Amino acid sequence: MSQHEREQTVPTARRGGAVWALVITSVAGFMAALDNLVVTTALPSIREDLGGALHDLEWTVSAYTLTFAVLLMTGAALGDRFGRRRLFLIGLAIFTGASTAAALAPGIDSLIAARAVQGVGAAIMMPLTLTLLTAAVPAARRGMAYGIWGAVNGLAVASGPLIGGSLTEHVSWQWIFWLNVPLGLLLLPLARLRLAESHGTGARLDIPGTLLASGGLFGVVYGLVRGPSDGWTDVLVLLALFVGAALLAAFVLYSTRAKNPMLPMRLFRSRAFSGINAASLLMFLGMFGSIFLLSQYMQGVLGYSPTEAGLRMLPWTGMPMLVAPIAGILSDRIGGRPVVATGLFFQAAGLAYLASVVTVDASYGSQLPGLILSGIGMGLFFAPASNLVMSSVRASEQGIASGANNALREVGGALGIAVMASIFSAQGGYETGQSFVDGLQPALVTGAGVVAAAGVAALLIPSRGAVAGDVVRGAPEGARKLETVS
């Protein structure tokens, strides 16, 4: 590693320490993750106020998912090049401004546009939260810090429908966006004063790689989010998936030959990096699809209101707040691999149990063990997974590693909803309670199988002692010699 590179990876100032960094990055991550699904339970009220056809309402969800997933790696690369704190502040400002525009939207088209801009801001700031947190927290305490960060983000993903439903039911749908504004205005000066600036390698931005990755992710995610509603044989859906896959293949080929690629393919030589990214994609595939259907089951079949359904999901969605900090401490002591794998197998068992007990009149008590088991599993996953991602690469590459992992999680989530919705539609439907259960059961079994496969992928991650050598083996020749000496 050159002297210049060493200087670039060291924060320029320590303005507030680990506690401030943890608070700022956790709240910012919560905001970005929450807006993935917060709109879903507010769609009927939005349609009543702003009008619009069904496909317009779907785009209020999809517009955010698209720009968020597509630009995550770009946001991380920009932060590495121009300053992580600087880009974090820009992303946070964009997100806060777009939230204001969404709350004030006079029509459905302007709301969709504001949601797309929200996704841009979230894509810039989200991967940088983890990089900034890593720079501020000493290595020996990162497990616990990642645990709290992961718990807050996991809670946001899982409780989005509850928060959206509660605000819509008791206040108004505009407040699902107004909620972000005071938080954003509070975080902006705090982040400017309390976070230290840091950079990546200082290499120039990889324009061809950025265009290929963004175009490929756009095609794949667009096809996945539109497939369930437009049909998998729709010409535009098929074209998007084909072109997206082709561009991603071109991105991989280009990145193996480029001098300074946005995402060096050599990172995937690390079993730790490859294993945790595979586990993350599969885990989000199984989790997102299952929560998507189970929240509808509680409302549409069991008759709970959005708030009641959200409260009954808390043993699953709220459990990470209790378990993730403990998981982070465990990962500091015994390594992340056994904690992550255990969590994934717990969640797979919970989903399999739920598949066996859901009926048109299932009692809440019969579902509770599966919800608790899934919640413990999710809590055990988040913190050690973040630790494994960041420790599997060199410090100068942590930004793009975080961006790549977040992008794969988003693709996994979109794929999960698409796959689960397709299985659900093939085996059942919304006509009656029984037809919903007929579609839900095989979808949950599939989700359990996918999460179990994520557990197997986690077991392929090397033990903690082997990860450092794995990182060195994946490094360029010059850096490899330096790191071996150190």
Side-chain angles (χ1 to χ4, degrees):
M1 189 183 296
S2 68
Q3 180 64 28
H4 171 72
E5 189 171 331
R6 289 182 185 276
E7 290 172 357
Q8 290 289 338
T9 59
V10 177
T12 58
R14 290 287 183 183
R15 301 194 178 191
V19 174
W20 275 115
L22 179 59
V23 171
I24 293 166
T25 58
S26 294
V27 174
F30 180 89
M31 292 163 62
L34 178 70
D35 275 59
N36 250 321
L37 295 175
V38 73
V39 176
T40 53
T41 45
L43 293 180
S45 297
I46 291 173
R47 184 177 187 180
E48 186 177 333
D49 279 3
L50 301 183
L54 179 61
H55 71 273
D56 293 319
L57 295 175
E58 291 171 344
W59 269 112
T60 63
V61 179
S62 300
Y64 182 87
T65 303
L66 266 176
T67 53
F68 186 33
V70 165
L71 296 175
L72 276 163
M73 284 199 294
T74 303
L78 288 170
D80 283 353
R81 178 68 181 88
F82 298 108
R84 291 159 179 164
R85 185 186 64 187
R86 178 184 300 169
L87 265 292
F88 174 79
L89 289 169
I90 291 172
L92 181 58
I94 293 171
F95 183 85
T96 304
S99 296
T100 304
L104 296 172
I108 193 69
D109 291 337
S110 56
L111 176 60
I112 293 170
R115 286 284 288 165
V117 178
Q118 259 193 319
V120 174
I124 295 172
M125 71 176 182
M126 184 63 175
L128 298 177
T129 60
L130 198 54
T131 318
L132 289 165
L133 181 61
T134 301
V137 179
R141 293 163 52 198
R142 283 178 190 159
M144 184 171 65
Y146 290 148
I148 297 171
W149 180 90
V152 173
N153 280 268
L155 179 65
V157 170
S159 63
L162 166 63
I163 293 174
S166 299
L167 288 173
T168 302
E169 190 177 335
H170 300 297
V171 191
S172 73
W173 65 263
Q174 285 89 348
W175 276 93
I176 63 180
F177 302 115
W178 282 127
L179 179 66
N180 295 323
V181 177
L183 292 174
L185 292 176
L186 179 63
L187 288 183
L188 281 167
L190 283 176
R192 178 67 181 83
L193 294 170
R194 300 293 183 178
L195 292 179
E197 184 61 282
S198 64
H199 297 74
T201 62
R204 290 186 176 183
L205 190 65
D206 177 17
I207 300 298
T210 300
L211 293 176
L212 287 171
S214 299
L217 285 170
F218 181 88
V220 170
V221 176
Y222 178 90
L224 292 175
V225 299
R226 301 309 305 168
S229 57
D230 296 352
W232 295 106
T233 57
D234 179 79
V235 173
L236 195 55
V237 169
L238 290 174
L239 183 64
L241 290 171
F242 176 79
V243 173
L247 287 174
L248 287 178
F251 170 70
V252 172
L253 183 62
Y254 163 83
S255 297
T256 59
R257 299 178 178 180
K259 184 177 180 181
N260 292 303
M262 179 174 71
L263 178 61
M265 289 297 113
R266 59 177 170 72
L267 294 182
F268 291 95
R269 297 176 195 164
S270 162
R271 282 170 49 208
F273 186 77
S274 297
I276 193 56
N277 278 292
S280 295
L281 186 147
L282 292 171
M283 187 273 191
F284 270 67
L285 195 161
M287 181 192 71
F288 257 72
S290 299
I291 290 176
F292 175 74
L293 289 174
L294 281 169
S295 62
Q296 294 182 68
Y297 164 73
M298 286 194 167
Q299 294 176 61
V301 178
L302 301 182
Y304 299 125
S305 70
T307 304
E308 291 170 338
L311 290 172
R312 283 163 175 78
M313 290 280 281
L314 277 178
W316 183 357
T317 59
M319 190 64 70
M321 290 296 292
L322 301 175
V323 176
I326 299 171
I329 295 171
L330 282 175
S331 71
D332 281 339
R333 294 183 177 178
I334 65 174
R337 179 181 66 173
V339 184
V340 165
T342 300
L344 290 169
F345 289 127
F346 270 34
Q347 186 159 6
L351 291 175
Y353 175 86
L354 286 169
S356 70
V357 300
V358 290
T359 62
V360 292
D361 56 355
S363 68
Y364 181 62
S366 67
Q367 302 169 61
L368 195 55
L371 295 172
I372 292 174
L373 198 57
S374 295
I376 293 172
M378 189 161 67
L380 289 172
F381 171 83
F382 277 115
S386 300
N387 207 345
L388 284 167
V389 170
M390 302 305 274
S391 63
S392 66
V393 299
R394 293 178 298 145
S396 61
E397 296 168 330
Q398 287 177 337
I400 194 58
S402 173
N405 184 256
N406 276 283
L408 286 170
R409 290 184 180 192
E410 287 300 308
V411 170
L415 184 59
I417 291 175
V419 168
M420 300 294 195
S422 297
I423 294 171
F424 170 81
S425 299
Q427 301 295 321
Y430 291 92
E431 295 80 17
T432 65
Q434 187 57 53
S435 65
F436 193 100
V437 170
D438 290 342
L440 176 62
Q441 285 178 324
L444 288 178
V445 169
T446 302
V450 170
V451 176
V456 173
L459 290 176
L460 299 178
I461 297 169
S463 62
R464 180 164 57 178
V467 170
D470 214 21
V471 174
V472 172
R473 282 191 295 273
E477 187 63 32
R480 191 181 309 172
K481 292 177 181 176
L482 280 170
E483 291 182 23
T484 304
V485 171
S486 62

